[in-house]
Amino acid sequence: MSTDDAPPPFGTYTRDQLRQSYADAWRKHLARSPLTPLEALIADVLELHPEYHALVQDTAAALAFDSPAGGAQENPFLHMGLHLAVREQISIDRPPGVRALLESLKTRLGDVHEAEHALMESLAETLWEAQRSGRAPDEGRYLELAGRRLSSLAAR
């Protein structure tokens, strides 16, 4: 692959390029073709969400997908992106303590996928608050929200 063919750095992907990467990863996974490490992560997340399979198998539909106003329908690409973000955080334990929180959530919920969802809710809320206030996301707030979710599960 020449440098002209190299994919852009992750932060410079357009919405369509990101969606295309999901479709390509799933297509390659189904064909049992070799996957890049990122494609393998995407395919792993997609395996957990069969409700998204039809969408990513239809590249035109994936590229055209638009969440209805008012959030009546979840954006599957945002959902999968949050899974990937949480998995990256866990792999490097950033913010420090997030890996231990995942383990505690996994123990409480009995399932790593559900534990990821609890962290994803906290991450989404933290990102929303940061965007609303025009500030950088607060890692301490993120861990606080995740800790609250864990505490509320322990109280059940």
Side-chain angles (χ1 to χ4, degrees):
M1 173 185 323
S2 75
T3 55
D4 293 338
D5 297 331
F10 188 72
T12 61
Y13 272 69
T14 66
R15 181 186 89 152
D16 285 352
Q17 287 171 321
L18 284 170
R19 291 179 178 194
Q20 184 70 52
S21 69
Y22 284 94
D24 291 347
W26 191 242
R27 177 186 44 76
K28 288 172 69 177
H29 169 76
L30 292 176
R32 300 199 190 303
S33 297
L35 300 172
T36 67
L38 178 57
E39 289 170 336
L41 286 171
I42 291 169
D44 187 54
V45 168
L46 273 161
E47 283 185 324
L48 296 171
H49 288 284
E51 68 273 23
Y52 301 153
H53 292 178
L55 178 63
V56 296
Q57 285 175 303
D58 181 346
T59 303
L63 294 174
F65 179 85
D66 194 19
S67 292
Q73 180 182 1
E74 179 178 68
N75 181 330
F77 298 101
L78 174 59
H79 184 90
M80 291 183 288
L82 286 169
H83 267 293
L84 295 173
V86 163
R87 288 178 177 201
E88 176 65 15
Q89 291 173 339
I90 300 308
S91 75
I92 60 173
D93 197 29
R94 172 77 195 251
V98 72
R99 187 180 296 145
L101 262 171
L102 177 80
E103 289 303 316
S104 296
L105 286 162
K106 185 171 72 171
T107 298
R108 172 58 65 185
L109 294 167
D111 179 65
V112 70
H113 186 220
E114 289 307 314
E116 284 181 5
H117 279 188
L119 284 177
M120 289 163 52
E121 290 172 19
S122 301
L123 178 58
E125 186 173 342
T126 302
L127 293 173
W128 179 80
E129 288 173 353
Q131 182 179 21
R132 192 181 70 192
S133 67
R135 291 191 300 247
D138 182 338
E139 290 179 340
R141 174 76 174 146
Y142 170 46
L143 293 174
E144 174 191 339
L145 290 170
R148 284 186 193 169
R149 281 182 170 74
L150 177 60
S151 293
S152 71
L153 292 169
R156 290 183 189 174

